[in-house]
Amino acid sequence: MANQFDALLRRLSLKVTPKRLAILEILAAEPIYLTPEEVWTRMKRKSTRAGLPTVYRNLEELSACGILIKIVHPDRRLYYYFCPNDHHHHHFVCISCRKVEDLNFCGLDSIDREVRKSLKGAVVSHLMQVYGRCKECLAG
Amino acid sequence: MANQFDALLRRLSLKVTPKRLAILEILAAEPIYLTPEEVWTRMKRKSTRAGLPTVYRNLEELSACGILIKIVHPDRRLYYYFCPNDHHHHHFVCISCRKVEDLNFCGLDSIDREVRKSLKGAVVSHLMQVYGRCKECLAG
DNA sequence: TCCTAATTGAAAATGATTTCTGATTATAGC
DNA sequence: GCTATAATCAGAAATCATTTTCAATTAGGA
Ligand SMILES: [Zn+2]
Ligand SMILES: [Zn+2]
Ligand SMILES: [Zn+2]
Ligand SMILES: [Zn+2]
């Protein structure tokens, strides 16, 4: 039996390469969002050394496919997170420890209605992110 | 009587300089979001030449004060927009012509409740932006 | 196995944004 | 108005995360 991400990649017509698997394994094991460079460092530790551009490329691809979530951060650097929840939802991200937690709330329905009726426009995508401090960070 | 932004700047203890006024005038006259470089170009046209770093610095300052809105864009470049509406609200931005329109909807109340009750965390800030095509761009 | 397109690595380029430093300027107080 | 002083500014240079290039390698289907 192969890696748990085998089928996932195949389904998306992405070749199952050691780099991709390593990237997914690393992110899936983290409850926090990581920068490409951090993923790259962890790959070295696992002796799945890869080029930094490869990491960037794969993270971008995988997030474009919806496997990974790109976290929008005020510092405008790239961050990625693996979220197993495949329903549409948004995230609460801890600005202190980088933990990501799912939010069930999404106001897209109301927004879409407003955009269509009042603005006569069409929604293409939307972004919602909540920044704050998680339970542990509040306690600490 | 001075420029309409005089009082606004004074109230925030920011010196009233020709550069700042020019930046505000330019953005207030635009129904779309602009990059720092575009603001800079328009300043040259108005013969209020400024250094690009000055434009960057002021845009950042003014958005930190809440006078300008920083538009979060998928391309991760900086964009600024002058929004006269001083109530908390969010924006619908046209990815085709860059027009910005106000949305009345904000789900922060529900989100805040969820974060406090379910996650035991605290919301610090939130980001919501809706991308799409405006009425005119749909027609064109 | 063989073929082909996809993937990768190393090095180099990119380019928006920021930093640095020494002028210049707005403004408060006299 | 004049002065002192901190804020602001210009220009050049630096930064540095991210992307591009291109030749070599590899995965997956025929
Ligand atoms: Zn935390
Ligand atoms: Zn999630
Ligand atoms: Zn438009
Ligand atoms: Zn809101």
Side-chain angles (χ1 to χ4, degrees), chain B residues 62-93:
Chain B
L62 294 170
S63 77
C65 291
I67 304 183
L68 296 180
I69 287 173
K70 201 191 285 197
I71 299 289
V72 175
H73 200 276
D75 70 9
R76 284 177 302 123
R77 291 172 59 191
L78 290 169
Y79 292 98
Y80 294 91
Y81 173 70
F82 177 85
C83 180
N85 179 348
D86 56 1
H87 287 65
H88 173 76
H89 65 289
H90 296 277
H91 294 101
F92 171 82
V93 311

Side-chain angles (χ1 to χ4, degrees), chain A residues 68-98:
Chain A
L68 296 180
I69 285 171
K70 201 190 284 194
I71 299 288
V72 174
H73 200 277
D75 71 9
R76 285 176 303 121
R77 291 172 59 191
L78 290 169
Y79 291 98
Y80 294 90
Y81 173 70
F82 177 86
C83 180
N85 180 347
D86 55 1
H87 287 65
H88 173 77
H89 64 289
H90 296 277
H91 295 102
F92 171 82
V93 310
C94 178
I95 51 178
S96 171
C97 72
R98 297 191 184 183

Side-chain angles (χ1 to χ4, degrees), chain B residues 4 12 20 24-25 30 32 37-38 57 78 88 91 95 102 110 113 115 118 127 129 132:
Chain B
Q4 57 173 318
L12 295 161
R20 280 195 182 123
L24 287 172
E25 275 161 18
E30 292 280 357
I32 64 173
E37 192 162 0
E38 286 165 339
R57 230 180 295 129
L78 290 169
H88 173 76
H91 294 101
I95 51 178
D102 286 359
S110 310
R113 216 172 302 126
V115 170
S118 307
L127 173 62
Q129 210 129 80

Side-chain angles (χ1 to χ4, degrees), chain A residues 57-74:
Chain A
R57 258 184 313 234
N58 278 304
L59 288 172
E60 182 52 37
E61 250 168 4
L62 294 170
S63 77
C65 292
I67 305 184
L68 296 180
I69 285 171
K70 201 190 284 194
I71 299 288
V72 174
H73 200 277

Side-chain angles (χ1 to χ4, degrees), chain B residues 94-99 132-138:
Chain B
C94 178
I95 51 178
S96 170
C97 72
R98 297 191 184 184
K99 183 166 27 185
R133 321 189 103 248
C134 73
K135 186 180 170 187
E136 284 73 29
C137 289
L138 281 180

